[in-house]
Amino acid sequence: MATHLRSAGKKCTVIGGSGFLGQHMVEQLLKKGYTVNVFDIQKRFDNDRVQFFLGDLCDKEALLPALQGVSVAFHCASPAPSSDNRELFYKVNFMGTKAVVEACKEAGVQKLVLTSSASVVFEGTDIKNGSEDLPYAKNPIDYYTETKILQEKEVLSANDPDNNFFTTAIRPHGIFGPRDPQLVPILVQAAKSGKMKFIIGDGKNLVDFTYVENVVHGHILAAENLQKDSALCGKAFHITNDEPVPFWAFMSRILTGLNYDPPKYHIPYWLAYYLALFLSLALWLLSPLVTIKPTFTPMRVALAGTFHYYSCERAKRDMGYKPVVSLDEAIDRTLQSYPHLRRAKA
Ligand SMILES: NC(=O)c1ccc[n+]([C@@H]2O[C@H](COP(=O)([O-])OP(=O)(O)OC[C@H]3O[C@@H](n4cnc5c(N)ncnc54)[C@H](O)[C@@H]3O)[C@@H](O)[C@H]2O)c1
Ligand SMILES: CC(C)CCC[C@@H](C)[C@H]1CC[C@H]2C3=C(CC[C@]12C)[C@@]1(C)CC[C@H](O)[C@@H](C(=O)O)[C@@H]1CC3
């Protein structure tokens, strides 16, 4: 059945709909004929076709009005990974997700699609073509990842076919695209301050970077295929561009596309890692006197210097997923969307 026919008359709520991924979700859902509510702690755009509900997802009572008459809830809210605030991550990603599950059940929502992360299995060492059967990280690389694991377990275990409540989790990796506040802006900031001169390791490590429209496509397919006895119930799915790329080739392509020089000197992985660790320790010791957010963190070094790419075969098999935008096209569209970050040619 055509997607637009299946989605006719469907009403959904995007929790975190003001965010980078959330806004792209809203745009595609509207295009596909969904009626869309947004629930978020902040309002970041205006659209007459969207009903906004402002509130904190940790508050079940605040969530309930946004879920009335809704058949699908997409939960893509999270504090930013860079905040590195353990208490906040625990409160929002774990306790807040429990509130989301409770509110969905109470409001009679039938399907809950969580945006998890492929990082839930990443411990800072190589993962090549990892499947969803890899165990959760025993030593997650940061508090963000630690609470994404708790969150995913909470949502998947809430799947309850007997009570007509179905849950699934999408695990994207390295989302990028227009309006992303993270990857390209942080990279350009680092280049401007002369910090993008070094390639960590030999530069051959393959990584997934996933265009935001492919991630959205995976979420919508998941919602449309999630039903009683389907293979999606209570399961997690990687959604990637299915084109792993050397981390440093990708970074260099973004930098040169915006007229910045690509990194060219190599620094051994372990040296970079211990330097970043030493820097974090020094900044932690100085934190009572001054707060500085480093660009160069052990977590980023691990992401920049190891292989971490994942198989999306399960999503292809169980929901008919296939990326809709190629990596080349995705990079071009992304570069065009950041004219303000482009360096003027000398
Ligand atoms: N960006 C990536 O590379 C990436 C990769 C994998 C997974 N993810 C996951 O995708 C989801 C979306 O990420 P994003 O990059 O769009 O982040 P984002 O920061 O742009 O958006 C998150 C949204 O959640 C909202 N939010 C935060 N706390 C809230 C609360 N207590 N109550 C209500 N709303 C709240 C924010 O206001 C924001 O609008 C997150 O769950 C993230 O963990 C992101
Ligand atoms: C200064 C440099 C060494 C590198 C600068 C680039 C980084 C800012 C990005 C490169 C890979 C990115 C990434 C994330 C954040 C930004 C980067 C580190 C995530 C950790 C964001 C949260 C997601 O859940 C992670 C995921 O599983 O996809 C991202 C992994 C990649």
Side-chain angles (χ1 to χ4, degrees):
M1 196 189 298
T3 306
H4 69 278
L5 289 179
R6 267 187 287 164
S7 59
K10 291 274 176 70
K11 187 169 176 182
C12 66
T13 298
V14 182
I15 303 170
S18 283
F20 161 52
L21 173 63
Q23 286 190 37
H24 283 274
M25 290 281 307
V26 170
E27 285 166 13
Q28 289 300 323
L29 286 162
L30 288 172
K31 270 194 198 158
K32 287 185 181 294
Y34 280 80
T35 302
V36 183
N37 289 342
V38 164
F39 181 92
D40 202 296
I41 206 160
Q42 53 182 328
K43 185 174 178 188
R44 302 258 300 278
F45 66 98
D46 270 314
N47 187 325
D48 293 346
R49 295 173 62 199
V50 174
Q51 190 169 0
F52 276 91
F53 295 84
L54 276 181
D56 187 332
L57 64 83
C58 302
D59 178 359
K60 190 185 82 179
E61 298 307 317
L63 278 163
L64 285 171
L67 298 170
Q68 293 310 315
V70 159
S71 55
V72 188
F74 296 96
H75 173 10
C76 56
S78 167
S82 57
S83 70
D84 207 30
N85 181 335
R86 186 179 200 173
E87 225 174 281
L88 181 68
F89 284 135
Y90 191 83
K91 178 173 159 273
V92 178
N93 285 349
F94 184 43
M95 302 310 288
T97 297
K98 281 178 185 277
V100 169
V101 169
E102 282 311 307
C104 283
K105 287 184 181 169
E106 205 171 309
V109 173
Q110 292 108 54
K111 305 177 186 188
L112 172 61
V113 179
L114 170 73
T115 313
S116 180
S117 165
S119 292
V120 294
V121 298
F122 184 63
E123 293 197 327
T125 52
D126 291 345
I127 293 183
K128 298 179 181 177
N129 207 30
S131 82
E132 291 85 347
D133 294 329
L134 287 173
Y136 287 115
K138 283 196 188 65
N139 298 301
I141 51 171
D142 53 15
Y143 303 138
Y144 163 80
T145 313
E146 189 179 312
T147 56
K148 291 297 283 184
I149 296 175
L150 295 172
Q151 175 190 59
E152 188 186 281
K153 287 181 176 171
E154 199 59 39
V155 167
L156 296 182
S157 64
N159 183 62
D160 184 3
D162 293 341
N163 287 303
N164 207 27
F165 183 57
F166 309 104
T167 66
T168 189
I170 296 299
R171 291 180 179 173
H173 196 45
I175 311 177
F176 74 104
R179 303 189 297 262
D180 166 33
Q182 244 184 170
L183 202 151
V184 176
I186 295 177
L187 192 61
V188 167
Q189 194 48 47
K192 275 187 180 163
S193 48
K195 291 179 189 157
M196 287 307 293
K197 300 213 178 314
F198 296 97
I199 294 172
I200 297 171
D202 63 11
K204 293 186 181 147
N205 54 309
L206 297 177
V207 167
D208 280 318
F209 287 102
T210 313
Y211 190 57
V212 64
E213 270 186 40
N214 292 328
V215 177
V216 170
H217 181 53
H219 280 72
I220 297 177
L221 281 177
E224 292 183 343
N225 286 281
L226 181 61
Q227 58 205 5
K228 202 171 176 67
D229 298 329
S230 81
L232 280 81
C233 293
K235 292 278 187 304
F237 293 84
H238 292 149
I239 289 294
T240 73
N241 243 80
D242 208 14
E243 288 177 87
V245 59
F247 181 94
W248 292 99
F250 182 84
M251 293 295 145
S252 298
R253 185 129 172 233
I254 300 280
L255 287 171
T256 51
L258 294 171
N259 297 333
Y260 290 91
D261 293 331
K264 53 180 176 210
Y265 309 110
H266 288 263
I267 171 172
Y269 176 78
W270 291 109
L271 178 59
Y273 189 82
Y274 284 112
L275 279 175
L277 209 55
F278 176 76
L279 180 67
S280 305
L281 193 65
L283 292 177
W284 178 74
L285 290 173
L286 288 173
S287 60
L289 304 172
V290 57
T291 311
I292 301 174
K293 278 204 162 195
T295 321
F296 193 56
T297 64
M299 185 272 269
R300 286 188 187 155
V301 170
L303 287 165
T306 58
F307 286 75
H308 40 101
Y309 67 95
Y310 300 85
S311 161
C312 59
E313 287 308 311
R314 187 187 274 185
K316 288 182 183 167
R317 185 193 67 200
D318 293 343
M319 54 172 112
Y321 172 74
K322 189 170 158 249
V324 285
V325 182
S326 71
L327 197 64
D328 267 349
E329 173 66 19
I331 294 174
D332 287 349
R333 286 194 202 174
T334 304
L335 290 172
Q336 278 168 26
S337 75
Y338 286 104
H340 55 292
L341 294 183
R342 190 175 293 274
R343 188 170 76 163
K345 277 192 177 142

